[in-house]
């Protein structure tokens, strides 16, 4: 579930009750502070929901602060090359896999004092790195991006991708479908996972992709769920009790 509206830690329990596996705080498209993001991430850790954060840029200092704040994964938009994917991994992983600076007393470890080698190995293993493919260039280089050690998921942003391919809003257009096929082939070749998003209005196409092999799906946003449920309920009431 994408989170870009609810700023309180209650969203973690809502996600748990709803049955989702993970949330991601969408810092690319919302105005949450790092503190708010960290509080939500820590609340998710406490109830057993994996907290991810979609970062607004590839800034390594920002990525490190987000992960230190409790995130178990980062989602990086607009990745278009092997070099960019490798730089993201370097920022997200501790030595052994990357160059992230180590900080003791992490919320992931409930602030327990753990030796640096043990903590770094455990956090590296637990941290998911998601590269978003949202452009024709990214599709062309999907194979080299998938080949970067430390990248776990290639997540397709269908809306931005359709825009870049010249078919805005047509998220199941043949050009988009072909892009998904190429990205899936890259994932399969390197034993990485395919992620899909922006297809809430195209459930049949989403189902095709899951059957093809996609294993990470963005189900919708907190705003979308709230607005959708409220709109349906009001329509139901107006139908049942029409105003004379």
């Amino acid at each position: 579930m994408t989170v870009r509206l609810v700023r309180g830690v209650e969203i973690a329990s809502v996600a748990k009750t709803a049955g989702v596996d993970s949330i991601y705080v969408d810092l690319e498209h919302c105005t949450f502070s790092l503190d708010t993001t960290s509080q939500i991430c820590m609340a998710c850790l406490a109830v057993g929901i994996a907290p991810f954060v979609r970062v607004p840029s590839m800034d390594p200092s920002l990525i490190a602060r987000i992960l230190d704040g409790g995130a178990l994964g980062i989602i990086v938009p607009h990745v278009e090359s092997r070099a960019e994917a490798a730089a993201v991994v370097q920022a997200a992983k501790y030595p052994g896999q990357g160059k992230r600076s180590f900080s003791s007393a992490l919320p992931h470890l409930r602030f327990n004092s753990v030796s640096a080698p043990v903590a770094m190995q455990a956090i590296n293993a637990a941290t998911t790195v998601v590269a978003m493919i949202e452009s024709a260039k990214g599709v062309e280089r999907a194979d080299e991006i998938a080949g970067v050690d430390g990248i776990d998921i290639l997540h397709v942003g269908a809306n931005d991708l359709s825009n870049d391919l010249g078919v805005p809003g047509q998220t199941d257009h043949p050009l988009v479908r072909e892009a998904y096929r190429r990205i899936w082939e890259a994932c399969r070749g390197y034993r990485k996972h395919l992620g899909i998003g922006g297809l809430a209005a195209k459930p049949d196409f989403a189902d095709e992709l899951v059957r093809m092999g996609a294993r990470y799906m963005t189900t919708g946003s907190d705003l979308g769920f709230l607005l959708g449920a409220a709109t349906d309920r009001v329509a139901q009431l107006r139908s049942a009790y029409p105003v004379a």
Side-chain angles (χ1 to χ4, degrees):
M1 179 170 64
T2 306
V3 175
R4 62 169 68 105
L5 172 70
V6 180
R7 289 167 169 77
V9 297
E10 298 87 354
I11 194 63
S13 292
V14 170
K16 181 70 173 181
T17 299
V20 302
D21 300 300
S22 173
I23 69 154
Y24 77 78
V25 178
D26 187 6
L27 290 186
E28 185 186 16
H29 296 298
C30 77
T31 59
F32 288 16
S33 68
L34 283 177
D35 181 61
T36 295
T37 301
S38 178
Q39 293 297 314
I40 292 172
C41 287
M42 287 191 286
C44 285
L45 293 174
V47 298
I49 295 290
F52 293 174
V53 175
R54 178 153 71 178
V55 296
S57 74
M58 300 179 194
D59 180 355
S61 62
L62 178 60
I63 289 172
R65 292 182 71 191
I66 286 168
L67 291 171
D68 284 352
L72 272 177
I74 55 165
I75 301 172
V76 183
H78 310 296
V79 177
E80 295 186 327
S81 70
R82 177 182 180 84
E84 289 180 347
V88 168
V89 173
Q90 290 290 299
K93 300 286 188 172
Y94 291 121
Q97 286 184 276
K99 296 181 179 179
R100 178 180 165 191
S101 176
F102 179 70
S103 173
S104 60
L106 293 165
H108 313 73
L109 304 173
R110 298 183 180 177
F111 303 107
N112 281 302
S113 179
V114 180
S115 69
V118 172
M120 289 192 294
Q121 183 177 21
I123 297 297
N124 273 355
T127 299
T128 299
V129 180
V130 183
M132 292 198 71
I133 308 299
E134 303 179 275
S135 67
K137 184 182 292 185
V139 174
E140 292 170 5
R141 297 177 176 175
D143 191 73
E144 65 180 62
I145 293 169
V148 173
D149 187 30
I151 295 293
D152 300 295
I153 299 171
L154 267 59
H155 186 57
V156 182
N159 289 308
D160 281 347
L161 179 58
S162 67
N163 289 341
D164 195 69
L165 293 175
V167 289
Q170 301 179 59
T171 52
D172 60 349
H173 188 279
L175 289 174
V176 179
R177 288 175 175 270
E178 173 60 16
Y180 269 106
R181 187 196 64 78
R182 291 181 62 179
I183 296 165
W184 164 240
E185 291 296 330
C187 289
R188 187 167 62 175
Y190 288 98
R191 301 180 63 84
K192 304 298 174 69
H193 292 291
L194 173 64
I196 59 177
L199 295 176
K202 307 288 184 181
D204 291 342
F205 184 35
D207 183 62
E208 286 180 36
L209 293 169
V210 171
R211 285 187 280 109
M212 184 177 72
R215 288 296 177 267
Y216 178 82
M217 179 190 293
T218 302
T219 59
S221 69
D222 52 356
L223 174 59
F225 292 140
L226 175 62
L227 188 59
T231 302
D232 288 346
R233 180 58 173 156
V234 170
Q236 180 187 49
L237 290 171
R238 290 191 183 280
S239 176
Y241 309 109
V243 177

